[in-house]
Amino acid sequence: MRMTQLFAPTLREIPTEAEIPSHQLLLRAGMMRKVAAGVYTYLPLGYRVLTKIMKIVREEMDAAGGQELMLPIIQPAELWQESGRWVIYGEEMFRLQDRHQRNFCLGPTHEEIVTALIRTNISSYKELPLLVYQIQNKYRDEKRPRFGLMRGREFVMKDLYSFDRDTEGMEESYKKMYDAYSKIFSRCGLKFKIVQADSGAIGGNTSHEFMVLAGSGEAELVYCEECEYAANVEKAAAVPDPSMEPVRGDVEKHLVHTPGTTTIAEVASFLCIPEKETLKSLLYEADGDLVCVLLRGDRQINEVKLQRVLDVLNLELAAEETLEKRGIHPGFVGPVDLNVDKIIADLEVPLMPSAVTGANKEDYHYTGVVPERDLKFDAVADIREVEAGEGCQQCGEPLKKARGIEVGQVFQLGTKYSDALNAVYNDEDGQVKKVYMGCYGIGVSRTMAAAIEQNHDDDGIIWPLSIAPYHVVVVPVSDKNESMMGIAQSIYEDLQDVGLEVVLDDRSERAGVKFKDADLIGFPYRITVGKDTIENGTVDVKCRKTGEQKAVPVTEITQHLYSLISSAT
Ligand code: ATP
Ligand code: MG
């Protein structure tokens, strides 16, 4: 490809709407353009990267026994009503009606469609196991589409569904996918962690997420360096602080004047006590109920855990108007005599010897509240976030915490969907049985963004070789110098002849501009044809990742690059 022909409109400035490196660089390097919030066009360079990731995914899915098919994006409401998810999926689902006012959605995922396919087309145990997959656009009307390809409303996913006779079969299919996913992300040149995950709205019990470690990741995970334990914070069980002691002697409750202290930090410092001796009261609206949530003052809530415990569809911090209607004064809220529908406490709360809580009266708190004695809870459950430094639940060593980008997730679904949609088969023993399912997703477009988050510097993208849009760029320092252009042209052709993917920067630009674009786009190797080439017969080969530069004789350049690249891809 010649740069003069390549449709890659690069930008010098950082686009203001882009907050994280992958979003900025995909725009700046001319790889994609925004069409609407969370909806993008992939330009040729970006599409080449996407295609390479898809190729790796396909190869590994096929190797693990997957068969590729294509399910429709437009899906009838009836199937989703059968599974119960037409309501559960909520506002994230893009819904539409046809001219006859029949309801449809744009597929956010395909469990319903694929289970319906299997129930009418599989009848015998002889046809199982079956693993089918597709790579396709998915549609989710995300509340906060952001960070470019990270959280789109239209995005590319690989989804595979496994169908087995029983639990053992399902576990075997799961293992195959788990291993295939590890190979895929390794082949994409990514550093990742596999963590235990919550299965959320999809259902099922066992699930793992594949997390690319990056500071910009929206997911948080805890892991232990001593043992193998690693989990998403939504899944990681929070063990109560073992140093907490039960009530000793009589503690008296007192109303104290605490003017202007509306935060935990302010109350603690005003009363000269550690934050962990205060009780944090948070008010949530949960499917129409007002819920008071209690945590030790120094702890953080995990809303996903809370939502799981409450088993509600909608959960939001209560609006001020709601509180006003109930006569609740934000800032001095506490669980004593509070006008709410439910009180949920974290596991640690009943273990607190005594606590300071808001008194539901402006500028006042109670001290000496013994939660177990003075408070009533509708439920006591693990609803808090595990913090770095807490003991690992497997080996007790201090946990580490990191941010990650969820690039894939695998689930054991059991019979959740085959029960709902009645997908059965005749087993060897003549009995009719439910099929056991698993589902396995990879965010293909998100993986592309994650690769940049992990591989970039101030100058631009540093593509891992396996997914780079091209392997090499050949840069003649001057397009006016005919012999330079001639040599560059013949290197370009020779490299293509041995099967390498090459761009020739044949633009009438200063060398500095070409170098900047080469770094921005992130070609793994750059070959510069300049004065040395004419004088000594050598070209300069620069590795984008290490910055290493090396003079290589023109006569050896094809072989040199061929061995570098073929050994690594
Ligand atoms: P998240 O928690 O990030 O919203 P999810 O758990 O809802 O994702 P899954 O249903 O497990 O996502 O989908 C499989 C994969 O698809 C995810 O692991 C992720 O890589 C990708 N994915 C999900 N939502 C998006 C999105 N809005 N934009 C891009 N990729 C996405
Ligand atoms: Mg997920």
Side-chain angles (χ1 to χ4, degrees), residues 474-540:
V474 181
V475 182
V477 165
S478 161
D479 67 310
K480 307 284 179 312
N481 185 322
E482 276 180 25
S483 38
M484 269 186 209
M485 277 306 280
I487 295 169
Q489 170 81 27
S490 71
I491 292 174
Y492 168 62
E493 287 166 7
D494 291 349
L495 291 174
Q496 282 185 318
D497 286 347
V498 296
L500 298 186
E501 299 168 16
V502 199
V503 169
L504 174 65
D505 197 344
D506 56 344
R507 294 176 297 170
S508 300
E509 291 282 1
R510 283 180 296 111
V513 171
K514 296 185 190 178
F515 291 161
K516 268 201 159 5
D517 279 341
D519 283 348
L520 177 62
I521 292 170
F523 299 103
Y525 293 101
R526 186 186 83 195
I527 299 175
T528 308
V529 179
K531 232 170 61 210
D532 276 356
T533 316
I534 309 296
E535 288 169 7
N536 312 324
T538 61
V539 289
D540 174 73

Side-chain angles (χ1 to χ4, degrees), residues 236-249:
V239 182
D241 180 348
S243 73
M244 285 202 305
E245 287 173 29
V247 196
R248 267 175 287 125

Side-chain angles (χ1 to χ4, degrees), residues 50 53 57 149 155-158 181 185 406-409 441-450:
L50 196 70
I53 301 173
V57 170
L149 297 185
F155 59 96
V156 183
M157 197 203 282
K158 183 287 303 176
Y181 274 36
F185 296 119
E406 180 201 321
V407 285
Q409 187 165 10
I442 289 183
V444 178
S445 43
R446 187 184 279 183
T447 300
M448 174 168 163

Side-chain angles (χ1 to χ4, degrees), residues 140 197-198 202 207-209 406 408-411 446:
R140 295 183 185 178
D198 178 40
I202 296 235
S207 178
H208 287 89
E209 283 169 343
E406 180 201 321
Q409 187 165 10
V410 291
F411 301 86
R446 187 184 279 183

